[in-house]
């Protein structure tokens, strides 16, 4: 083989190796948000924290809905203790960083403790590869699409995050694959400007890669029930389901979606149902 051909092959091989190194560096690099914490965005105004820090779940109707709404069943379980600094998180401070930040997501005993964004310019997947400062970053940001309102009042709200090799973003959701971890950990907290929403985690499993909000018309009661039934009995290997959970047309489901560890055509989902709403200071 002629020397120029060998040189060309060598250059291609070097480029491939360099590309792999760059990819792994970006995949392993901690996101900028890792430098942030809820404590960095605090407010000094007093808020009502009179509710018990550890509480038996008695689901309540979302306050923005009609008071005649049927309440969810009492599941008789205890949610995790509220973080000590939950009342101090200031969305005024967060929105000074980026007006697309509209919530903060916290899953106890995982690395999931991040702001949540939704693009306001029509690009639903902008935060797939941009950080909260709107700078390109491989790890992206936890985000929702405009198919969901920002008040978490849709029948199903989906939040997306990368499955990063360094354990950041949504990678630690895979802890819920372990039956013992799933049994001991059942709580998702979502902070908004004026509310603290508590969700009871009731299922975690591998799902196909269909777009959930496009695949089911959640405004159609029959299709909503079909989706709810699929979360309660997903027919998947290795899924974990909490017994005794029932859902109805008034249930508010939060779906956390990330890549699975088994392949590009599947997703790993952690599902929670809204069980408690507390008022926060609008700071």
């Amino acid at each position: 083989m002629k020397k120029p051909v060998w040189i060309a092959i060598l250059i291609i091989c070097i480029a491939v190796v360099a590309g792999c190194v760059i990819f792994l560096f970006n995949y392993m690099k901690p996101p900028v948000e890792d430098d942030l914490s809820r404590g960095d965005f605090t407010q000094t105004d007093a808020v009502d924290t009179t509710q018990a820090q550890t509480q038996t779940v008695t689901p309540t109707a979302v306050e923005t809905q009609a008071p005649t709404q049927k309440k969810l069943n009492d599941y008789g379980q205890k949610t995790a203790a509220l973080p000590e600094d939950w009342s101090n998180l200031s969305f005024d401070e967060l929105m000074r960083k980026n007006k697309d930040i509209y919530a903060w997501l916290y899953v106890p005993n995982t690395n999931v403790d991040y702001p949540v964004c939704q693009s306001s310019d029509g690009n639903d997947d902008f935060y797939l590869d941009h950080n909260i400062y709107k700078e390109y970053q491989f790890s992206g940001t936890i985000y929702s699409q405009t198919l969901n309102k920002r008040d978490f009042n849709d029948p199903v709200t989906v939040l997306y995050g990368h499955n990063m090799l360094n354990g950041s973003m949504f990678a630690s959701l895979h802890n819920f694959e372990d039956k013992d971890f799933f049994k001991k950990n059942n709580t998702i907290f979502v902070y908004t400007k004026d509310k603290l929403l508590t969700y009871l985690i009731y299922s975690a499993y591998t799902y196909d890669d269909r777009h959930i909000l496009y695949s089911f018309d959640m405004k159609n009661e029959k299709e909503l029930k079909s989706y709810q039934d699929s979360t309660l009995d997903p027919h998947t290997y290795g899924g974990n389901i909490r017994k005794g959970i029932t859902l109805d047309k008034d249930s508010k489901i939060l779906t956390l979606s990330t890549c699975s560890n088994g392949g590009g055509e599947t997703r790993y989902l952690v599902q929670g149902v809204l069980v408690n709403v507390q008022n926060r200071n609008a700071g």
Side-chain angles (χ1 to χ4, degrees), residues 98-139:
N98 181 354
K99 292 186 181 300
D100 285 349
I101 300 174
Y102 72 98
W104 192 290
L105 176 69
Y106 172 53
V107 183
N109 297 320
T110 73
N111 295 330
V112 179
D113 195 358
Y114 296 110
V116 180
C117 289
Q118 185 181 99
S119 177
S120 56
D121 64 3
N123 182 357
D124 263 351
D125 292 324
F126 177 81
Y127 288 103
L128 182 68
D129 54 12
H130 287 78
N131 61 32
I132 65 168
Y133 304 104
K134 296 189 175 183
E135 302 165 339
Y136 173 81
Q137 187 162 320
F138 186 85
S139 57

Side-chain angles (χ1 to χ4, degrees), residues 146-163:
T146 52
L147 287 167
N148 280 133
K149 299 187 293 292
R150 296 186 177 195
D151 60 4
F152 293 88
N153 203 29
D154 291 315
V156 179
T157 297
V158 183
L159 300 183
Y160 302 93
H162 282 300
N163 179 21

